[in-house]
Amino acid sequence: MVTIKQIAELCGVSRGTVDRVINKRGKVKPEKEQLILETMRKLNYSPNPAGKALAARKKQPTVGVLIPSIGVHFFDDVISSMQNAARRYASYGLKIIWRSMRGFDEMEQCQLIDELAPQVQALIINPVNGQAVLERLNALAAEGLYIVTLNNDLPGLRRHCYIGTDFYSGGRTAGALLQMIGARELHIGILLGSHKMLSHQRRLEGFRSALEERFKKGAPGSWEILSVQETEDDDILAYEEIKTLLQEHPETNAIFVISSGASYGAARAVQAAGRAGSITMVVFDTIPSTIRMMQAGVIQAALYQHPHQQGRRAMQVAFEYLVNGAQPEKDSYIMRNEIRIPENAEE
Amino acid sequence: MVTIKQIAELCGVSRGTVDRVINKRGKVKPEKEQLILETMRKLNYSPNPAGKALAARKKQPTVGVLIPSIGVHFFDDVISSMQNAARRYASYGLKIIWRSMRGFDEMEQCQLIDELAPQVQALIINPVNGQAVLERLNALAAEGLYIVTLNNDLPGLRRHCYIGTDFYSGGRTAGALLQMIGARELHIGILLGSHKMLSHQRRLEGFRSALEERFKKGAPGSWEILSVQETEDDDILAYEEIKTLLQEHPETNAIFVISSGASYGAARAVQAAGRAGSITMVVFDTIPSTIRMMQAGVIQAALYQHPHQQGRRAMQVAFEYLVNGAQPEKDSYIMRNEIRIPENAEE
DNA sequence: TTGTACGCGTTATCAT
DNA sequence: ATGATAACGCGTACAA
C-alpha cells in the first residue's frame, strides 16, 4: 500500500504539503495540489487506519451511549454486544460513557443528552419520539457531534448513521409465517405496545399487507383480525387481555405479539386456558422467556432482529469515525428479520 | 489505557525490557520479570492493536485463500464478503493471494496448497476430505502456518480456527420447518449431493431426528421418506430425478434439497409437473435462482447459512492474527441456520 | 507557501 | 542482562 511519504517523494514535495491537501487545510499552490491529487488517485492511496488510530489517541476519543433500556429485554443483547465491542476498542484508547433510563420520557432523555454532550464527540442513542429530542440532537449535530441512532430513526433528524430493522418487513414476515404455519381459517388476536409507537404501527401494517397478499394470491382459507390491544409492554396487562380475548372469542387460533414486552404474559394466558399448541403464537424477539415458551410448545416462532449485530455495528461505526476518521459505507444499516423456531433458537 | 512505556517507567526499567517479558524472549532478571508481570496484571495492560498493526507492516503479512468455489454458487456470497474485507484490510498493508478450483480433487488441492504455502503466513481454506490434504496441512501447521478452515472441518486437522455452520442443526431446522409448513401426511423426496459428503449426511440425520421428535411429541399426522437420491450437485440430474420421483410416487407432497447445487433443477421439475405450490419445497441456501423460485411460489422456504458473515469472519480472524497478533476469541465460529421465506429473503 | 520535527504504541536491532 | 534508538503511517504545531 502506498503511504503519504511515498506520495510526497513522487511529487517532490514534503509530507506536510501532502497532508494539507488530504485534509483540505489549504495553503498549497494550486498546481502542486493538482499534481498531488492526481498521483493519489493514480496510486489509489488510502490512509492506513493504524496510523490514524495511533494519532487519534491524543484527542481522547469518547462516545456516549444513551438507551432507554431499563426493563426492555430486547436491549439486553444489544447492550451486551456493545460492551463486548467497547472492550475491544478500549485497547485503542476509546472511552465510553454509558447512560440508561427507564421508560420513554422526552424531557428525561433531553436532560441526559445535555449531560453527555460536552463529554463526548459521538453519541449512540435510541431516540425517544418527540420534538424536544429532535431539536436538541439537531443542534448538537450542527455543532459537530457525531450521531448514531439505534432502532428508531426520527424523521427530520440529521443523524450520521442509523442502525435498526425494517419494521414493515418484520410485520410482513410475521404475517406470511402465520399464513404458512397457522390454521387455514385464521382468527387472530394482536397485542402491541402502544398505537403511538411508530415501529409497532408499521409492523402491524406489514403484517396485514402480507396476509392480504398471500390470500389474494390464492392461499387456501381465510383470515380475520379479532382485536388489536395495547399492552404498554406489560406482561400482566398482556396476560389479562389474552385471557379476556379467549373468553370472548373462543374461536381465536392465532396470536401475534408485536413487542417482546408482552409475549411472556400472552403465552402464560394461552397456557392457562389450556390452549397451548392449538393456538399458533408468533412473537417478536428471542428473549429468554420466549425461548422457554418455544421449547414448551406454547410459542411456535419468534422473529429475531439481530440485536447482537445491531450493538456491534453501532459501536463499530462510532469507533471508525472517531479513531480511524472513516465514514461508514452506508447511511443506514438495516438488519434482517429472521425466523426462529425451537430447532434453530437454542444457544 | 496503559502502555508499555508507562509500565516501564513504573517498574524503573526500559521499554525494551518490558517488551522482552511480554514476548517471552528471555534475558530478563527473574525478579524484574515478576515485577513487570505483576504491574501489567494490576494495571490490566492490553496492547494497542494500532501500534502492533503499524509494526507488523514490515513482515509483509500475506494470507492465502483456497476455495473449491468454481460452479458452487453458495461460495459466491462468501467470496464477495471476503473480497470486501480484503479491501478494507489492504489499507493496513495486508496482502491476499486468491486461488480457486473446480470440483473436489484431493491431489489438485494439495498442489495448490504447496504453491501457496511458501508465499503466505496464513491460509483460509475449504479443505477437501482426504488423507493427503489432512497430512499436508498438519505438516504446514507444525511449521508455523496459521490455518483457518471454512465450511468443512476435517477430523484430526490441527487448524487454528474453524468457521462454518452446524450441519446437524441445519437439518433439524429444515425438518421442523417442513413439519410446520407442510401437509399433515408428509410424503418426502430428498436430494443430496453425495452420500460421501459428511455435511450432507449430517443434515439428513438432523432432518430425520427433528421429524421423528416432533411427531413423537404429538404433532398430528405422519411422515415417510420416499427416496434419497444423489445429484452430484448437478441441476440436470436433479431435474430428471424429481421428474421420475413424481411419476413413480404421485403422492409426493414434500421435497427437501440438501445442497444448493440441485435446488433449481428440482424446482423446475416440480414446475414442469404442474405441482408448484402443492408440493412443499425446502432447500438450502438463498442463491439467486432459489430466491426467484421462492418468489414464483415453487420453493416455500430456504435455509440461509450466513455466507457473508462466514467470509467476513474468516478474513477477520486471519487479519487479526497476522496484523494485530491476536488469537480469535473462539476456537470455532458456528453460524446459525436461518429460515428465509419470500417475505424476508428480498434484497 | 512550504518543510521539519515530534508523538502516538509496538517491534526489532544494536550497543553496552 | 539491559537500555537506547530507529522504524512503521499519520496528524499537527511550529519554524522558515
Side-chain angles (χ1 to χ4, degrees), chain B residues 328-339:
Chain B
E329 291 180 7
K330 306 187 205 168
D331 157 84
S332 63
Y333 291 90
I334 308 299
M335 311 290 156
R336 220 174 273 261
N337 292 277
E338 306 284 4
I339 297 166

Side-chain angles (χ1 to χ4, degrees), chain A residues 270-299:
Chain A
V270 168
Q271 250 180 340
R275 301 289 309 273
S278 77
I279 290 180
T280 306
M281 287 194 75
V282 172
V283 309
F284 263 89
D285 301 327
T286 59
I287 60 175
S289 62
T290 292
I291 293 187
R292 285 198 303 276
M293 283 299 184
M294 279 209 283
Q295 283 161 349
V298 185
I299 293 174

Side-chain angles (χ1 to χ4, degrees), chain B residues 34 227 253:
Chain B
Q34 278 314 307
S227 79
N253 59 11

Side-chain angles (χ1 to χ4, degrees), chain A residues 56-72:
Chain A
R57 265 185 70 102
K58 300 184 201 173
K59 293 180 198 157
Q60 301 249 53
T62 310
V63 29
V65 176
L66 175 47
I67 316 262
S69 58
I70 302 177
V72 184

Side-chain angles (χ1 to χ4, degrees), chain A residues 3-4 15 19 25 45 47-48 52:
Chain A
T3 70
I4 289 189
R15 254 185 35 95
D19 186 73
R25 269 196 274 276
Y45 168 79
N48 186 329
K52 288 209 169 206

